[in-house]
């Protein structure tokens, strides 16, 4: 009986909205001038290396796309996905920095030291400089590399900036969030600054009060218009939307006046604007001769945040958690180069897989000494073959708040279950420690004017519980914990966690640095750590050590 119920639960209902012709949308989210339909590609046959366009949305919930049954209209995303390959077993990380770091390095967080939380604006921290990045590898094989949008991988030193990590150009924000119009961000009272950059300098000249989704799209169009489509380009578009603060131009609210919940209504307007922006990016690819030799990848960076309007229904949990609602993402690939267009991929795919997949497609080489956690999944996506991936380390965070009742005993002497961790092996998923907010938030939770948790479905676990086991294939909504029923499976996954943990590097999560205050940097968030200061300090410490040694020698004499 249980097996039948679980099998029934595994059938996700994917409702597909009607598609809108590319030319029937009215402009707004960065629309290029002129008629963009029917344009012939630029003269000259395209090179074998494809143009790569990676679009990363911010905080988009699993349900928040038309083909997952959302009330929010996303005709562009629906059409691109329907004509491409939908990724319906696709995983990211539960927060911004972790997903972005794994995309750009192909490595799990435990192998970069970024396994705890996110990089805060005031922390002297960034993606470790000894990690080779995706744009650096693509530049090696002749790609022009450009980034537009949100960085959120640290900036305390100039060496951490996007232009120093492989991008030929950068236009966007360094922090994790900020005002969509003014581009100001306050990290705490009195610690506020401007956060819009062009390459390595504050982009004051671009501060015209333009909504960031539209502004970023206009920048993408400019890049495409000025580049030669006969030469390969890597374009990383990391939109700020639909992350809080919840802001959108007024006209995008037109279809959503009936949504009483103000956060959901604003979120819907933001997503509608994002959908239109991606339509205009696609039109620009066609107009300027890139489309026929392009690969468009769309992904959210983590699950939605219900308190900020996002919905992950019917999945459990939300952004910031290791329940499916925090890590199972909207994703698809759209390309004329796909062999099985119009299909659904249910094979296991993780955000680290894009690094080796795209480098291989670009005819690049992956150095043997780079120990990647990602796999080349192009044949899985394009041809429907089995995925080379059989497991995913969702994370091991040794400094997250420990579960009070966790212990080595609860982990059969294999693992301390007080530690927050999550792993997927084939059909099985194991969580330990404190996985985070675990409610299911159905659509009716957004029916009232304000947040209402009375509609949420909750589970009160027995006191002291620190281990959960689910068969995700049969029970994607994580409703039936099987840890007591299958202790041998629990032990196997705990051993796998222990094996991964032996390869982990120390956590990088330094305390805030008062020198990061934008007031000390012309009112701008930006690099504050000076290399010469570091040298002076090291010289002073060396001098002090010499003095101590000489004193010690005198005392010895």
């Amino acid at each position: 009986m249980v097996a039948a119920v679980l099998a029934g639960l595994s059938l996700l209902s994917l409702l597909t909205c009607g598609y809108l012709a590319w030319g029937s949308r009215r402009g707004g989210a960065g629309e290029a001038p002129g008629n963009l339909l029917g344009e012939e590609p630029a003269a000259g046959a395209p090179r074998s290396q494809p143009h790569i366009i990676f679009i990363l949305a911010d905080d988009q919930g699993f349900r928040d796309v038309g083909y997952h049954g959302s009330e929010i209209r996303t005709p562009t995303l629906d059409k691109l996905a329907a004509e491409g390959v939908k990724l319906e077993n696709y995983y990211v990380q539960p927060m911004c920095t972790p997903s972005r770091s794994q995309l750009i390095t192909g490595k799990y967080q435990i192998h970069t030291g970024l396994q705890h939380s996110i990089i805060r604006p005031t922390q002297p921290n960034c993606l470790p400089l000894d990690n080779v990045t995706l744009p650096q590898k693509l530049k090696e094989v002749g790609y022009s590399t450009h980034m537009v949008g949100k960085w959120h991988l640290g900036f305390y030193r100039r060496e951490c900036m996007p232009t120093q990590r492989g991008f030929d150009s950068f236009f966007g924000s360094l922090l994790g969030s900020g005002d969509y119009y003014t581009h100001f961000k306050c990290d705490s009272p009195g610690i506020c600054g401007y956060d819009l950059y062009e390459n390595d300098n504050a982009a004051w000249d671009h501060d015209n009060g333009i909504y960031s989704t539209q502004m970023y799209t206009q920048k993408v169009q400019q890049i495409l218009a000025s580049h030669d489509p006969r030469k390969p380009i890597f374009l990383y578009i990391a939109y700020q939307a639909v992350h809080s603060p919840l802001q959108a131009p007024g006209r995008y609210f037109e279809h959503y006046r009936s949504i009483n919940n103000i956060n959901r209504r604003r979120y819907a307007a933001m997503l509608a604007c994002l959908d239109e922006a991606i339509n205009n990016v696609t039109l620009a690819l066609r107009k300027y001769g890139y489309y026929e030799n392009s690969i468009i990848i769309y992904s959210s960076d983590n699950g939605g945040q219900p308190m900020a309007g996002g919905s992950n229904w019917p999945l459990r949990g939300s952004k910031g958690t290791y329940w499916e609602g925090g890590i199972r993402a909207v994703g698809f690939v759209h390309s004329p180069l796909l062999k099985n267009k119009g299909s659904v991929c249910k094979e296991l795919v993780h955000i680290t897989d894009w690094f080796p997949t795209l480098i291989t497609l670009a005819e690049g080489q992956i150095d043997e000494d780079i120990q990647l956690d990602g796999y080349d999944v192009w044949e899985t996506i394009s041809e429907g073959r089995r995925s080379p991936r059989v497991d995913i380390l969702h994370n091991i965070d040794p400094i997250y708040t420990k579960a009070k009742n966790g212990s080595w005993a609860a982990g059969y002497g294999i693992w301390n279950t007080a530690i927050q961790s999550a792993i997927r092996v084939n059909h099985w998923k194991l969580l330990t420690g404190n996985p985070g907010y675990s409610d299911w938030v159905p659509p009716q939770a957004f029916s009232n004017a304000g947040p209402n948790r009375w509609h949420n479905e909750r589970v009160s676990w027995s006191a002291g519980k620190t281990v959960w086991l689910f068969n995700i294939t049969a029970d994607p909504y994580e409703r039936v914990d099987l840890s007591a029923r299958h202790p041998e499976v629990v032990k196997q996954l705990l051993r796998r966690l222990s094996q991964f943990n032996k390869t982990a590097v120390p956590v990088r999560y330094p305390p805030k640095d008062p020198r990061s205050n934008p007031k000390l940097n012309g009112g701008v968030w930006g690099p504050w750590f000076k290399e010469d200061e570091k040298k002076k300090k090291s010289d002073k410490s060396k001098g002090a050590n010499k003095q101590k040694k000489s004193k010690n020698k005198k005392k010895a004499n």
Side-chain angles (χ1 to χ4, degrees), residues 91-93 97-99 101-116 127-128 131 348-353 371-375 389-396 422-425 496 500-501 503-505:
Y91 288 86
V92 294
Q93 297 307 111
T97 298
S99 285
S101 70
Q102 296 197 31
L103 164 66
I104 209 170
T105 66
K107 296 181 180 181
Y108 290 143
Q109 295 162 256
I110 64 165
H111 296 144
T112 60
L114 300 176
Q115 55 265 60
H116 180 66
L127 180 71
N131 282 271
L348 202 57
V349 178
H350 185 248
I351 195 167
T352 53
D353 297 334
Q371 296 182 340
L372 296 180
D373 296 305
Y375 296 84
R389 177 177 288 283
V390 295
D391 60 15
I392 297 173
L393 176 67
H394 293 306
N395 197 25
I396 299 171
I423 188 170
R424 169 81 176 268
V425 179
R496 190 76 180 102
F500 270 120
N501 199 43
T503 69
V505 301

Side-chain angles (χ1 to χ4, degrees), residues 212-391:
S212 75
T213 301
Q214 298 170 330
M215 179 177 63
Y216 290 157
T217 304
Q218 290 172 4
K219 186 65 177 180
V220 169
Q221 291 166 330
Q222 292 169 11
I223 292 170
L224 293 174
S226 61
H227 182 75
D228 183 352
R230 292 171 294 183
K231 298 178 180 179
I233 188 171
F234 170 53
L235 191 52
Y236 174 36
I237 313 169
Y239 280 107
Q240 179 182 355
V242 287
H243 196 292
S244 60
L246 301 177
Q247 299 171 292
R251 74 179 185 83
Y252 294 98
F253 287 84
E254 290 176 5
H255 297 294
Y256 304 106
R257 302 292 181 191
S258 60
I259 299 178
N260 292 325
N261 184 302
I262 185 62
N263 286 347
R264 183 68 174 169
R265 190 189 320 150
R266 289 171 177 166
Y267 178 96
M270 295 167 74
L271 187 55
C273 182
L274 176 63
D275 186 79
E276 185 178 87
I278 294 167
N279 178 57
N280 288 326
V281 168
T282 309
L283 290 172
L285 290 171
R286 291 177 179 273
K287 176 181 181 181
Y288 298 117
Y290 298 88
Y291 178 78
E292 294 301 325
N293 190 36
S294 69
I295 297 171
I296 302 170
I297 301 167
Y298 183 87
S299 170
S300 179
D301 66 340
N302 47 247
Q305 178 57 269
M307 297 300 288
S311 175
N312 303 307
W313 179 260
L315 303 181
R316 181 179 187 179
S318 64
K319 171 185 177 177
T321 77
Y322 290 97
W323 303 107
E324 293 291 284
I327 56 177
R328 195 162 184 166
V330 173
F332 63 79
V333 177
H334 178 96
S335 172
L337 309 178
L338 289 167
K339 291 187 177 179
N340 288 352
K341 300 181 184 68
S343 63
V344 175
C345 174
K346 295 184 179 179
E347 292 292 307
L348 202 57
V349 178
H350 185 248
I351 195 167
T352 53
D353 297 334
W354 298 121
F355 185 97
T357 301
L358 297 180
I359 291 174
T360 302
L361 284 169
E363 302 175 7
Q365 296 293 323
I366 298 175
D367 303 330
E368 291 183 2
D369 59 339
I370 300 180
Q371 296 182 340
L372 296 180
D373 296 305
Y375 296 84
D376 179 358
V377 293
W378 181 250
E379 290 183 349
T380 301
I381 295 170
S382 178
E383 301 176 27
R385 298 191 183 185
R386 296 299 300 271
S387 174
R389 177 177 288 283
V390 295
D391 60 15

